[in-house]
Amino acid sequence: MRYTIYHCKDGIRQTGVKFRLLRGRARDGRLAARRPDLWPREAAWGLRGPGVPAAPLALFGSLTVSPETSAQSRAGAPSLSPVFPTQNGKVAIVTGGTKGIGYQTVKHLARLGMHVIIAGNSESDGQEAVRKIKEETLTGKVEFLYCDLASMKSIRQFVQQFRAKNCPLHVLVNNAGVMLVPERKTEDGFEEHFGLNYLGHFLLTNLLLDTLKRSGTHRHNARIITVSSATHYVGKLHLNDLQSRCSYSPHGAYAQSKLALVLFTYRLQHLLTANGSHVTANVVDPGVVNTELYKHVFWVVKVVKWMTAWLFFKTPEEGASTTIYAAVSPEVEGAGGCYLYNEERTKSADVAYDEELQRMLWTESCRMVGISDEANRLL
């Protein structure tokens, strides 16, 4: 069941009013609204969807739909999507942007006017995603560049290709990942969860930092958004065995990689602040989302997921909402080192705030990927 809300006044776009669905969906037709004090009296909103009661419409004035919003609807406008400012002239990179949460992130950023570059390891999937997004958003500001995050060489080649474009970078979304894969190594010999989910994004971010720093301004910081998971709460970081050589568990390896991403984000923000950079780094928890990440779970789990996904799992579009919020919302302008869930700042695992552990992981990560320690460059 989908509900679409259309704004009819440009003034609404500037207020930052956002609408939320209770439990993430409009299953019972109820709406929850934030900041009603910001509603202009002349605002006119249109709500469409089965089962919407007529009474709430009186709260919003007359029911009208502008030609602009009609075009947005034809272009695949999201259900009750937050109203964010346009992002014309800005550039974003989204890893893993061909499917699932990443695909929805790319689509929504492109709809806002961003030039979005999808970084992925499948040329065919990448070109298909570009084609679909261009059709759905009626924009040509989407492209694909090959990047295999399981290969340090491929990451460096991707960064070279991007730099050759001589364009700024305002948003980097570290979204790609694998989950519960059997024990195997990346091209560089790293355990796959740790190597792809964490080290790949660690290297990519560091190689793009100079461009991000040049692109950020005092009024509009460049933003780094890293997608973690609630699994990090049960994760343990084994600094003496980051490759899980002693005892491999898919669940343990996945949780460790997601905890590493949170530690990395907090340490990165500390260094950015110390350097006076106009760049912020935040970490996002998308929730439990119905994506292809579950393809490696046991068949019994797959059956249960198939039977209950409609009730307990978010759609990829819903899962992408907090990532998009972190990437463009004025509410988080200048704010870094935050753990975001359902578009709210919340507390991550206690161990993630261990500054000594953050520092040790950062130093070891620099050694593993072969780059100098950013902390040493700042001293």
Side-chain angles (χ1 to χ4, degrees), residues 205-226:
T205 302
N206 273 277
L207 294 180
L208 292 171
L209 267 183
D210 287 341
T211 305
L212 286 159
K213 290 176 181 178
R214 289 194 300 268
S215 304
T217 66
H218 176 70
R219 292 185 60 188
H220 300 288
N221 284 206
R223 304 185 186 191
I224 301 168
I225 299 95
T226 298

Side-chain angles (χ1 to χ4, degrees), residues 8-29:
C8 305
K9 294 284 187 180
D10 289 339
I12 297 295
R13 185 185 297 276
Q14 299 171 8
T15 65
V17 178
K18 296 206 301 294
F19 284 82
R20 295 171 182 270
L21 295 178
L22 299 182
R23 293 180 57 81
R25 295 194 188 186
R27 292 194 182 94
D28 56 5

Side-chain angles (χ1 to χ4, degrees), residues 24 32 93 112 210 275 294 350:
I93 292 175
L112 289 171
D210 287 341
N275 195 30
Y294 291 89
D350 289 339

